[in-house]
Short mmCIF file of all heavy atoms in Angstrom, two decimals:
data_model
loop_
_atom_site.label_atom_id
_atom_site.label_comp_id
_atom_site.label_asym_id
_atom_site.label_seq_id
_atom_site.Cartn_x
_atom_site.Cartn_y
_atom_site.Cartn_z
N PHE A 1 -3.19 -2.65 -4.77
CA PHE A 1 -3.38 -1.53 -3.84
C PHE A 1 -4.02 -0.34 -4.56
O PHE A 1 -4.94 0.29 -4.03
CB PHE A 1 -2.04 -1.13 -3.22
CG PHE A 1 -2.17 -0.09 -2.14
CD1 PHE A 1 -2.52 -0.46 -0.85
CD2 PHE A 1 -1.97 1.25 -2.41
CE1 PHE A 1 -2.67 0.50 0.15
CE2 PHE A 1 -2.11 2.21 -1.42
CZ PHE A 1 -2.46 1.83 -0.14
N ILE A 2 -3.56 -0.06 -5.78
CA ILE A 2 -4.12 1.06 -6.55
C ILE A 2 -5.60 0.83 -6.83
O ILE A 2 -6.41 1.76 -6.74
CB ILE A 2 -3.33 1.29 -7.85
CG1 ILE A 2 -1.89 1.74 -7.53
CG2 ILE A 2 -4.02 2.33 -8.74
CD1 ILE A 2 -0.95 1.75 -8.73
N GLU A 3 -5.98 -0.41 -7.17
CA GLU A 3 -7.40 -0.73 -7.39
C GLU A 3 -8.25 -0.35 -6.18
O GLU A 3 -9.28 0.31 -6.32
CB GLU A 3 -7.58 -2.25 -7.58
CG GLU A 3 -7.38 -2.78 -8.94
CD GLU A 3 -7.61 -4.30 -8.95
OE1 GLU A 3 -8.54 -4.78 -8.26
OE2 GLU A 3 -6.84 -4.98 -9.63
N HIS A 4 -7.82 -0.77 -5.00
CA HIS A 4 -8.57 -0.49 -3.78
C HIS A 4 -8.55 1.00 -3.46
O HIS A 4 -9.57 1.55 -3.02
CB HIS A 4 -8.03 -1.30 -2.61
CG HIS A 4 -8.33 -2.76 -2.72
ND1 HIS A 4 -9.60 -3.27 -2.62
CD2 HIS A 4 -7.52 -3.81 -2.96
CE1 HIS A 4 -9.57 -4.58 -2.79
NE2 HIS A 4 -8.31 -4.93 -2.99
N LEU A 5 -7.43 1.63 -3.69
CA LEU A 5 -7.31 3.06 -3.46
C LEU A 5 -8.30 3.83 -4.35
O LEU A 5 -9.03 4.70 -3.88
CB LEU A 5 -5.87 3.50 -3.76
CG LEU A 5 -5.43 4.89 -3.40
CD1 LEU A 5 -5.56 5.13 -1.90
CD2 LEU A 5 -3.99 5.11 -3.83
N GLU A 6 -8.35 3.46 -5.61
CA GLU A 6 -9.24 4.12 -6.57
C GLU A 6 -10.71 3.95 -6.17
O GLU A 6 -11.50 4.89 -6.25
CB GLU A 6 -8.99 3.55 -7.96
CG GLU A 6 -9.87 4.14 -9.04
CD GLU A 6 -9.65 3.49 -10.39
OE1 GLU A 6 -9.34 2.28 -10.45
OE2 GLU A 6 -9.81 4.21 -11.38
N ASN A 7 -11.07 2.75 -5.73
CA ASN A 7 -12.47 2.46 -5.39
C ASN A 7 -12.90 2.97 -4.03
O ASN A 7 -14.06 3.32 -3.85
CB ASN A 7 -12.72 0.94 -5.45
CG ASN A 7 -12.63 0.41 -6.86
OD1 ASN A 7 -12.98 1.10 -7.81
ND2 ASN A 7 -12.12 -0.80 -7.01
N LYS A 8 -11.98 3.02 -3.08
CA LYS A 8 -12.38 3.31 -1.69
C LYS A 8 -11.91 4.66 -1.16
O LYS A 8 -12.41 5.12 -0.15
CB LYS A 8 -11.85 2.21 -0.77
CG LYS A 8 -12.24 0.82 -1.21
CD LYS A 8 -12.91 0.08 -0.13
CE LYS A 8 -13.24 -1.31 -0.61
NZ LYS A 8 -14.52 -1.74 -0.19
N ASN A 9 -10.91 5.28 -1.82
CA ASN A 9 -10.40 6.54 -1.28
C ASN A 9 -9.96 7.49 -2.41
O ASN A 9 -8.78 7.77 -2.58
CB ASN A 9 -9.24 6.25 -0.32
CG ASN A 9 -8.95 7.42 0.60
OD1 ASN A 9 -9.16 8.56 0.23
ND2 ASN A 9 -8.46 7.12 1.77
N PRO A 10 -10.93 7.98 -3.20
CA PRO A 10 -10.59 8.88 -4.30
C PRO A 10 -9.88 10.16 -3.86
O PRO A 10 -9.09 10.72 -4.63
CB PRO A 10 -11.93 9.20 -4.97
CG PRO A 10 -12.96 8.41 -4.26
CD PRO A 10 -12.34 7.68 -3.12
N ALA A 11 -10.14 10.62 -2.64
CA ALA A 11 -9.47 11.83 -2.15
C ALA A 11 -7.96 11.59 -2.04
O ALA A 11 -7.16 12.47 -2.37
CB ALA A 11 -10.04 12.24 -0.80
N LEU A 12 -7.57 10.41 -1.59
CA LEU A 12 -6.14 10.08 -1.48
C LEU A 12 -5.53 9.94 -2.87
O LEU A 12 -4.37 10.33 -3.08
CB LEU A 12 -5.95 8.82 -0.64
CG LEU A 12 -4.52 8.42 -0.29
CD1 LEU A 12 -3.71 9.58 0.27
CD2 LEU A 12 -4.52 7.25 0.68
N VAL A 13 -6.28 9.43 -3.82
CA VAL A 13 -5.80 9.37 -5.22
C VAL A 13 -5.48 10.78 -5.69
O VAL A 13 -4.43 11.02 -6.29
CB VAL A 13 -6.84 8.70 -6.15
CG1 VAL A 13 -6.45 8.88 -7.61
CG2 VAL A 13 -6.99 7.23 -5.82
N LYS A 14 -6.38 11.72 -5.42
CA LYS A 14 -6.16 13.13 -5.82
C LYS A 14 -4.91 13.70 -5.15
O LYS A 14 -4.14 14.42 -5.78
CB LYS A 14 -7.38 14.00 -5.45
CG LYS A 14 -8.61 13.68 -6.23
CD LYS A 14 -8.60 14.37 -7.55
CE LYS A 14 -9.94 14.16 -8.24
NZ LYS A 14 -9.83 14.09 -9.68
N THR A 15 -4.70 13.36 -3.88
CA THR A 15 -3.52 13.83 -3.16
C THR A 15 -2.25 13.31 -3.84
O THR A 15 -1.28 14.06 -4.02
CB THR A 15 -3.56 13.36 -1.68
OG1 THR A 15 -4.74 13.88 -1.07
CG2 THR A 15 -2.33 13.81 -0.92
N ILE A 16 -2.25 12.04 -4.22
CA ILE A 16 -1.09 11.46 -4.89
C ILE A 16 -0.90 12.09 -6.27
O ILE A 16 0.23 12.42 -6.65
CB ILE A 16 -1.23 9.92 -4.98
CG1 ILE A 16 -1.21 9.31 -3.58
CG2 ILE A 16 -0.10 9.32 -5.84
CD1 ILE A 16 -1.60 7.84 -3.53
N GLN A 17 -1.99 12.29 -7.00
CA GLN A 17 -1.90 12.93 -8.32
C GLN A 17 -1.27 14.32 -8.21
O GLN A 17 -0.40 14.68 -9.01
CB GLN A 17 -3.29 13.06 -8.96
CG GLN A 17 -3.87 11.75 -9.42
CD GLN A 17 -5.35 11.86 -9.80
OE1 GLN A 17 -6.08 12.76 -9.35
NE2 GLN A 17 -5.80 10.93 -10.63
N THR A 18 -1.69 15.07 -7.21
CA THR A 18 -1.13 16.41 -6.98
C THR A 18 0.36 16.31 -6.66
O THR A 18 1.17 17.09 -7.19
CB THR A 18 -1.88 17.12 -5.83
OG1 THR A 18 -3.26 17.21 -6.18
CG2 THR A 18 -1.31 18.50 -5.56
N GLY A 19 0.74 15.37 -5.80
CA GLY A 19 2.15 15.18 -5.46
C GLY A 19 2.98 14.80 -6.67
O GLY A 19 4.13 15.27 -6.81
N ILE A 20 2.44 13.99 -7.55
CA ILE A 20 3.17 13.60 -8.76
C ILE A 20 3.37 14.82 -9.66
O ILE A 20 4.47 15.05 -10.17
CB ILE A 20 2.42 12.47 -9.52
CG1 ILE A 20 2.47 11.17 -8.70
CG2 ILE A 20 3.01 12.26 -10.91
CD1 ILE A 20 1.54 10.07 -9.21
N LYS A 21 2.32 15.62 -9.81
CA LYS A 21 2.43 16.83 -10.64
C LYS A 21 3.43 17.82 -10.06
O LYS A 21 4.17 18.47 -10.80
CB LYS A 21 1.06 17.48 -10.80
CG LYS A 21 0.16 16.75 -11.76
CD LYS A 21 -1.18 17.41 -11.91
CE LYS A 21 -2.04 16.53 -12.82
NZ LYS A 21 -3.45 16.61 -12.52
N LYS A 22 3.44 17.96 -8.73
CA LYS A 22 4.36 18.89 -8.07
C LYS A 22 5.78 18.31 -7.93
O LYS A 22 6.67 18.98 -7.44
CB LYS A 22 3.85 19.24 -6.68
CG LYS A 22 2.63 20.12 -6.69
CD LYS A 22 2.22 20.44 -5.25
CE LYS A 22 1.06 21.37 -5.18
NZ LYS A 22 0.67 21.65 -3.79
N LYS A 23 5.92 17.03 -8.30
CA LYS A 23 7.20 16.32 -8.21
C LYS A 23 7.67 16.12 -6.77
O LYS A 23 8.85 15.99 -6.50
CB LYS A 23 8.28 16.98 -9.05
CG LYS A 23 7.90 17.01 -10.53
CD LYS A 23 9.02 17.47 -11.40
CE LYS A 23 8.53 17.66 -12.79
NZ LYS A 23 8.81 16.70 -13.75
N THR A 24 6.71 16.08 -5.85
CA THR A 24 7.04 15.74 -4.46
C THR A 24 6.86 14.24 -4.23
O THR A 24 7.35 13.70 -3.24
CB THR A 24 6.16 16.52 -3.46
OG1 THR A 24 4.78 16.25 -3.73
CG2 THR A 24 6.43 18.02 -3.55
N ILE A 25 6.15 13.59 -5.15
CA ILE A 25 5.98 12.14 -5.11
C ILE A 25 6.49 11.56 -6.42
O ILE A 25 6.10 12.00 -7.50
CB ILE A 25 4.50 11.73 -4.91
CG1 ILE A 25 4.00 12.18 -3.55
CG2 ILE A 25 4.32 10.23 -5.08
CD1 ILE A 25 2.52 11.92 -3.29
N ILE A 26 7.37 10.61 -6.29
CA ILE A 26 7.87 9.86 -7.45
C ILE A 26 7.24 8.48 -7.37
O ILE A 26 7.41 7.78 -6.37
CB ILE A 26 9.41 9.75 -7.43
CG1 ILE A 26 10.05 11.13 -7.46
CG2 ILE A 26 9.90 8.87 -8.59
CD1 ILE A 26 11.53 11.13 -7.12
N LEU A 27 6.49 8.12 -8.40
CA LEU A 27 5.85 6.81 -8.44
C LEU A 27 6.76 5.85 -9.20
O LEU A 27 7.24 6.18 -10.29
CB LEU A 27 4.49 6.93 -9.13
CG LEU A 27 3.44 5.90 -8.83
CD1 LEU A 27 3.18 5.78 -7.33
CD2 LEU A 27 2.15 6.23 -9.55
N VAL A 28 6.99 4.70 -8.61
CA VAL A 28 7.90 3.71 -9.19
C VAL A 28 7.08 2.51 -9.66
O VAL A 28 6.14 2.08 -8.99
CB VAL A 28 8.95 3.27 -8.13
CG1 VAL A 28 9.80 2.13 -8.63
CG2 VAL A 28 9.82 4.45 -7.75
N GLY A 29 7.45 1.96 -10.81
CA GLY A 29 6.77 0.80 -11.36
C GLY A 29 7.13 -0.47 -10.61
O GLY A 29 8.20 -0.58 -10.00
N THR A 30 6.23 -1.44 -10.65
CA THR A 30 6.45 -2.73 -10.02
C THR A 30 5.58 -3.76 -10.72
O THR A 30 4.97 -3.45 -11.75
CB THR A 30 6.17 -2.66 -8.50
OG1 THR A 30 6.58 -3.88 -7.89
CG2 THR A 30 4.71 -2.39 -8.20
N THR A 31 5.47 -4.96 -10.20
CA THR A 31 4.54 -5.93 -10.75
C THR A 31 3.15 -5.66 -10.17
O THR A 31 3.03 -5.15 -9.07
CB THR A 31 4.96 -7.38 -10.43
OG1 THR A 31 5.06 -7.53 -9.01
CG2 THR A 31 6.28 -7.73 -11.09
N TYR A 32 2.12 -5.99 -10.93
CA TYR A 32 0.75 -5.69 -10.53
C TYR A 32 0.39 -6.33 -9.19
O TYR A 32 -0.21 -5.70 -8.33
CB TYR A 32 -0.22 -6.19 -11.61
CG TYR A 32 -1.60 -5.62 -11.46
CD1 TYR A 32 -1.92 -4.43 -12.08
CD2 TYR A 32 -2.57 -6.25 -10.70
CE1 TYR A 32 -3.18 -3.88 -11.95
CE2 TYR A 32 -3.83 -5.71 -10.57
CZ TYR A 32 -4.13 -4.52 -11.19
OH TYR A 32 -5.38 -3.97 -11.05
N HIS A 33 0.76 -7.59 -9.02
CA HIS A 33 0.37 -8.34 -7.83
C HIS A 33 1.48 -8.45 -6.79
O HIS A 33 1.35 -9.22 -5.84
CB HIS A 33 -0.09 -9.75 -8.22
CG HIS A 33 -1.30 -9.76 -9.08
ND1 HIS A 33 -2.56 -9.48 -8.60
CD2 HIS A 33 -1.46 -9.97 -10.40
CE1 HIS A 33 -3.44 -9.54 -9.59
NE2 HIS A 33 -2.80 -9.84 -10.69
N CYS A 34 2.55 -7.70 -6.98
CA CYS A 34 3.68 -7.78 -6.05
C CYS A 34 4.14 -9.24 -5.94
O CYS A 34 4.37 -9.76 -4.86
CB CYS A 34 3.27 -7.22 -4.68
SG CYS A 34 4.56 -6.29 -3.88
N SER A 35 4.22 -9.89 -7.09
CA SER A 35 4.47 -11.33 -7.13
C SER A 35 5.95 -11.65 -7.36
O SER A 35 6.76 -10.78 -7.63
CB SER A 35 3.66 -11.97 -8.25
OG SER A 35 4.25 -11.66 -9.50
N LEU A 36 6.25 -12.91 -7.27
CA LEU A 36 7.59 -13.42 -7.54
C LEU A 36 7.68 -13.98 -8.97
O LEU A 36 8.49 -14.86 -9.25
CB LEU A 36 7.96 -14.50 -6.52
CG LEU A 36 7.99 -14.04 -5.07
CD1 LEU A 36 8.19 -15.23 -4.13
CD2 LEU A 36 9.07 -13.00 -4.85
N ALA A 37 6.86 -13.45 -9.87
CA ALA A 37 6.80 -13.95 -11.24
C ALA A 37 8.15 -13.92 -11.94
O ALA A 37 8.42 -14.77 -12.78
CB ALA A 37 5.78 -13.16 -12.05
N SER A 38 9.01 -12.98 -11.59
CA SER A 38 10.32 -12.90 -12.26
C SER A 38 11.15 -14.16 -12.04
O SER A 38 12.02 -14.48 -12.84
CB SER A 38 11.10 -11.68 -11.79
OG SER A 38 11.44 -11.77 -10.42
N LEU A 39 10.87 -14.89 -10.97
CA LEU A 39 11.62 -16.11 -10.68
C LEU A 39 11.09 -17.32 -11.46
O LEU A 39 11.81 -18.30 -11.64
CB LEU A 39 11.54 -16.44 -9.19
CG LEU A 39 12.20 -15.46 -8.24
CD1 LEU A 39 11.92 -15.86 -6.80
CD2 LEU A 39 13.69 -15.37 -8.50
N TYR A 40 9.84 -17.26 -11.91
CA TYR A 40 9.19 -18.45 -12.46
C TYR A 40 8.73 -18.34 -13.90
O TYR A 40 8.74 -19.33 -14.62
CB TYR A 40 7.97 -18.83 -11.58
CG TYR A 40 8.37 -19.09 -10.16
CD1 TYR A 40 8.13 -18.14 -9.18
CD2 TYR A 40 9.02 -20.25 -9.80
CE1 TYR A 40 8.52 -18.37 -7.85
CE2 TYR A 40 9.42 -20.49 -8.50
CZ TYR A 40 9.16 -19.54 -7.54
OH TYR A 40 9.55 -19.76 -6.25
N SER A 41 8.28 -17.18 -14.31
CA SER A 41 7.67 -17.07 -15.64
C SER A 41 7.95 -15.70 -16.25
O SER A 41 7.31 -14.71 -15.88
CB SER A 41 6.16 -17.28 -15.53
OG SER A 41 5.54 -16.97 -16.75
N PRO A 42 8.89 -15.64 -17.21
CA PRO A 42 9.15 -14.35 -17.87
C PRO A 42 7.89 -13.76 -18.51
O PRO A 42 7.67 -12.56 -18.47
CB PRO A 42 10.20 -14.69 -18.92
CG PRO A 42 10.87 -15.93 -18.41
CD PRO A 42 9.80 -16.69 -17.67
N GLY A 43 7.04 -14.62 -19.07
CA GLY A 43 5.81 -14.14 -19.70
C GLY A 43 4.86 -13.49 -18.71
O GLY A 43 4.32 -12.42 -18.97
N LEU A 44 4.65 -14.15 -17.58
CA LEU A 44 3.78 -13.60 -16.54
C LEU A 44 4.38 -12.33 -15.96
O LEU A 44 3.67 -11.35 -15.69
CB LEU A 44 3.54 -14.63 -15.43
CG LEU A 44 2.66 -14.19 -14.27
CD1 LEU A 44 1.27 -13.78 -14.75
CD2 LEU A 44 2.57 -15.30 -13.23
N PHE A 45 5.69 -12.32 -15.78
CA PHE A 45 6.39 -11.14 -15.26
C PHE A 45 6.14 -9.94 -16.18
O PHE A 45 5.74 -8.87 -15.72
CB PHE A 45 7.88 -11.45 -15.14
CG PHE A 45 8.71 -10.35 -14.55
CD1 PHE A 45 8.46 -9.87 -13.28
CD2 PHE A 45 9.78 -9.82 -15.25
CE1 PHE A 45 9.24 -8.86 -12.71
CE2 PHE A 45 10.57 -8.83 -14.70
CZ PHE A 45 10.30 -8.34 -13.44
N LYS A 46 6.33 -10.12 -17.48
CA LYS A 46 6.10 -9.04 -18.44
C LYS A 46 4.64 -8.59 -18.42
O LYS A 46 4.36 -7.40 -18.44
CB LYS A 46 6.47 -9.48 -19.86
CG LYS A 46 7.97 -9.56 -20.09
CD LYS A 46 8.28 -9.72 -21.56
CE LYS A 46 8.43 -11.17 -21.89
NZ LYS A 46 8.87 -11.40 -23.28
N GLU A 47 3.71 -9.55 -18.35
CA GLU A 47 2.29 -9.22 -18.32
C GLU A 47 1.94 -8.39 -17.09
O GLU A 47 1.18 -7.42 -17.17
CB GLU A 47 1.45 -10.51 -18.35
CG GLU A 47 -0.03 -10.26 -18.43
CD GLU A 47 -0.48 -9.52 -19.68
OE1 GLU A 47 0.19 -9.64 -20.73
OE2 GLU A 47 -1.50 -8.81 -19.59
#
């Protein structure tokens, strides 16, 4: 999602960046592909 956001909507990226700086948006980590890698491959999950 971030890839597409960066390429197609830079204004929204700026809005999120501003929210993160103002602490109105908390960004949470996840897996890159929103995958079920944790169930199948610890190596892929870490990657």
